[in-house]
């Protein structure tokens, strides 16, 4: 393998992608433990959060809010329904649309689940400013990644060949 003297490799501990990957893995474990008493996964939790903000959403609306496709959402919502959290019904106006509503159990458990998650988040020891700046940095990173045109990545790789 020939090396290019103009390329200075970043050490693994200096790479943003590694930091994000490791934080994501730890957050996933954090939420697995936090949500275990409710038999919820993190994707199920965020779907419930969307519904706790706006009960009665279509599958497409939930997918848009969470950036999840219907292939991911359908089994997730099916499990939430089987466990008594939501009720899915076909729209009477457009039968292609599935409307998702919270069950009375989901409504009654909302504050308990939020409290559990909030209590666990306090373990991070973030003050309000650090919490907001961290969240803002992640949204900024996501926006920057979304703005990259895949054609630009392909063009960048072609110029290196």
């Amino acid at each position: 393998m020939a090396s290019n003297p103009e390329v200075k490799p970043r050490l693994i501990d200096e790479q943003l992608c590694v930091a994000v990957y490791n934080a994501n893995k730890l957050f996933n474990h954090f939420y697995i433990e936090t949500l275990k008493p409710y038999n919820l996964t993190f994707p199920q939790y965020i779907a419930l959060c969307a519904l706790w903000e706006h009960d009665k959403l279509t599958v497409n609306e939930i997918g848009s809010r969470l950036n999840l496709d219907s292939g991911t959402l359908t089994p997730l919502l099916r499990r939430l329904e089987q466990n008594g959290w939501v009720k899915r019904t076909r729209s009477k106006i457009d039968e292609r649309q599935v409307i998702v509503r919270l069950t009375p159990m989901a409504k009654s458990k909302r504050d308990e689940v939020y409290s559990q998650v909030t209590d666990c988040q306090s373990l991070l020891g973030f003050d309000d400013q650090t919490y907001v700046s961290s969240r803002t940095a992640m949204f900024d990173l996501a926006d920057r990644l979304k703005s990259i045109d895949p054609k630009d990545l392909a063009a960048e790789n072609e110029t290196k060949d």
Side-chain angles (χ1 to χ4, degrees):
M1 172 187 261
S3 65
N4 182 344
E6 294 177 23
V7 174
K8 181 172 172 134
R10 274 184 204 218
L11 300 175
I12 196 160
D13 291 339
E14 296 173 351
Q15 294 190 32
L16 179 59
C17 61
V18 173
V20 171
Y21 174 77
N22 287 332
N24 183 52
K25 278 181 41 179
L26 291 168
F27 245 127
N28 285 340
H29 180 72
F30 172 88
Y31 274 98
I32 286 169
E33 294 303 315
T34 302
L35 298 170
K36 191 182 284 185
Y38 305 100
N39 195 30
L40 292 171
T41 64
F42 180 72
Q44 290 170 340
Y45 166 70
I46 61 174
L48 285 172
C49 286
L51 288 161
W52 282 325
E53 288 180 17
H54 304 283
D55 194 4
K56 188 183 173 191
L57 294 172
T58 66
V59 172
N60 288 341
E61 289 169 330
I62 296 170
S64 293
R65 300 234 22 219
L66 304 179
N67 199 23
L68 295 173
D69 61 50
S70 63
T72 301
L73 272 176
T74 299
L76 178 156
L77 293 169
R78 185 179 312 117
R79 284 190 305 276
L80 282 174
E81 186 172 39
Q82 290 168 347
N83 292 329
W85 292 95
V86 300
K87 180 75 177 148
R88 296 177 303 151
T89 55
R90 293 241 172 239
S91 168
K92 291 179 178 150
I93 298 167
D94 181 353
E95 288 200 8
R96 295 172 296 175
Q97 290 190 344
V98 174
I99 298 171
V100 184
R101 290 186 172 93
L102 294 166
T103 64
M105 179 194 87
K107 291 175 183 177
S108 72
K109 294 245 184 224
R110 183 197 74 176
D111 291 347
E112 184 181 333
V113 173
Y114 275 151
S115 179
Q116 175 81 0
V117 170
T118 302
D119 288 348
C120 289
Q121 285 184 340
S122 69
L123 294 172
L124 293 171
F126 281 176
D127 58 30
D128 289 344
Q129 183 179 354
T130 305
Y131 180 86
V132 169
S133 66
S134 297
R135 189 186 68 225
T136 300
M138 290 299 104
F139 283 134
D140 180 56
L141 177 60
D143 288 344
R144 288 171 185 262
L145 288 167
K146 283 186 242 177
S147 73
I148 297 171
D149 188 336
K151 294 175 197 162
D152 292 339
L153 291 173
E156 181 74 20
N157 288 332
E158 288 174 8
T159 60
K160 292 179 181 177
D161 290 340

